[in-house]
Amino acid sequence: MKQSDSLKYRGLPLREGSGTMPALGFGTLIPDATETRNATSGALEAGFRHFDCAERYRNEEQVGVAIREAIQAGSVKREDLFITTKLWNNNHRPERVQPAFESSRNRLQLDYVDLYLIHTPYAFQPGDNQDPRDQNGNVIYDKGITLMDTWRAMEALVDGGKCKAIGLSDVSLDQLREVFEPARIKPAVVQVESHPYLPQSEILEFCTSNGLVMLAFAPLGHGIKPGVLENPVIISIAQRVNKTPAQVLLAWAVQRGTAVLTTPKTPDRARENFDISALPSDAMEEINAVQTRQRFNLVTGTGIPGFIARRG
Ligand SMILES: NC(=O)c1ccc[n+]([C@@H]2O[C@H](COP(=O)([O-])OP(=O)(O)OC[C@H]3O[C@@H](n4cnc5c(N)ncnc54)[C@H](OP(=O)(O)O)[C@@H]3O)[C@@H](O)[C@H]2O)c1
């Protein structure tokens, strides 16, 4: 392995000995079932070993099939994979956490899950409807529960042994602290939107000082145009280092110490997005100096996912 290749294989140790997360991860937010299965297989072939799933994506079964096939074919071992899934907003009531976790685990066909995240800090009306709405179309929130109530049930999953680590997603630094301080089992990972237009430096600093991993989603700005992929600084660095803008953005994320998720849907894209190399320090500095600030995903304001079609 060349020194410059090591970035794509970087592993980030999780607190309390709960394993190592490959920094470069494959995100499974893909609406179509067949595309999910093919993209997951393509990602495995390209070298991805970290998979980010969610009950809300409604495709855990297809991810599970692709992973099971690769394990049965002998091309990968379960212990070399790192698989995350997430608890959705309608399952925040403590008594709903374990059943939701077990359902995800069964759909993924896994004996254990490496990481389970509370998908957003918003509790929705408990029940089987992932998107409960009133007559006016407004989300029905569950006011009778705190994030810490849900966290206690997450801790019990780790005690049960089928879940190696737990964490949060789409939280602010204040919400992270609110759970971190009283938690018996501390969050190991915090998943938030992050790219050069939203570096999340305060959360990253908190994570670094407290032994958490910050896991960046939307590293390419969800592909929204104009966005980070069209930024002239990124384009000029890509030309200089002979990489694509996507590879530069993914490398920047890993090199600054975060884990990162990307969602290549074709084998070519999977190979491209896995093939990242270390950037020279002046390139890192130029990206760190980008002043544009933009959040592309508004889930942190309401708990309503920006990119998932509504279906009951
Ligand atoms: N916690 C949360 O609330 C949350 C929210 C959103 C996402 N996530 C997780 O984060 C993962 C990553 O999010 P994301 O995929 O939206 O982020 P992203 O990588 O910023 O955006 C994906 C977009 O980038 C494009 N793209 C991918 N590779 C490219 C390349 N090499 N060159 C040019 N364009 C490229 C894709 O195009 P095509 O459409 O052509 O493929 C797609 O439009 C998701 O799969 C999910 O696991 C979590």
Side-chain angles (χ1 to χ4, degrees), residues 26 32 54 61 77 92 130 139 151 165 177 243 258 266 272 298 306:
F26 174 77
D32 182 77
E61 267 170 37
K77 294 198 191 85
H92 277 212
Q130 292 188 336
V139 168
W151 189 258
R177 283 185 208 277
K243 288 281 180 182
T258 73
T266 62
E272 175 186 339
L298 299 179

Side-chain angles (χ1 to χ4, degrees), residues 219-261:
L220 313 180
H222 281 321
I224 292 169
K225 290 184 192 335
V228 280
L229 281 166
E230 287 76 35
N231 182 281
V233 171
I234 303 300
I235 291 173
S236 95
I237 293 171
Q239 285 163 350
R240 220 160 74 215
V241 300
N242 206 17
K243 288 281 180 182
T244 66
Q247 288 169 328
V248 169
L249 288 162
L250 295 168
W252 172 80
V254 176
Q255 208 164 326
R256 72 194 285 255
T258 73
V260 67
L261 298 171

Side-chain angles (χ1 to χ4, degrees), residues 115-135:
L115 174 67
Y116 198 44
L117 301 176
I118 300 181
H119 201 145
T120 87
Y122 294 91
F124 286 1
Q125 181 185 62
D128 293 335
N129 186 350
Q130 292 188 336
D131 193 25
R133 302 272 174 158
D134 66 17
Q135 285 159 340

Side-chain angles (χ1 to χ4, degrees), residues 14-36:
L14 301 185
R15 45 181 311 128
E16 287 153 31
S18 38
T20 299
M21 168 189 266
L24 185 54
F26 174 77
T28 65
L29 176 45
I30 302 173
D32 182 77
T34 309
E35 199 173 25
T36 300

Side-chain angles (χ1 to χ4, degrees), residues 27-29 52 57 86 119 169-170 191 217-223 229 246 261-265 269 272-273 297 299:
T28 65
L29 176 45
D52 179 78
Y57 303 163
K86 312 189 195 81
H119 201 145
S169 162
D170 293 327
Q191 183 178 132
F217 75 78
L220 313 180
H222 281 321
L229 281 166
L261 298 171
T262 181
T263 318
K265 301 198 192 86
R269 275 273 174 87
E272 175 186 339
N273 291 6
N297 194 316
V299 64

Side-chain angles (χ1 to χ4, degrees), residues 5 8 24 243 247 270-277:
D5 282 348
K8 64 178 121 177
L24 185 54
K243 288 281 180 182
Q247 288 169 328
R271 281 189 290 273
E272 175 186 339
N273 291 6
F274 191 71
D275 186 22
I276 59 168
S277 304

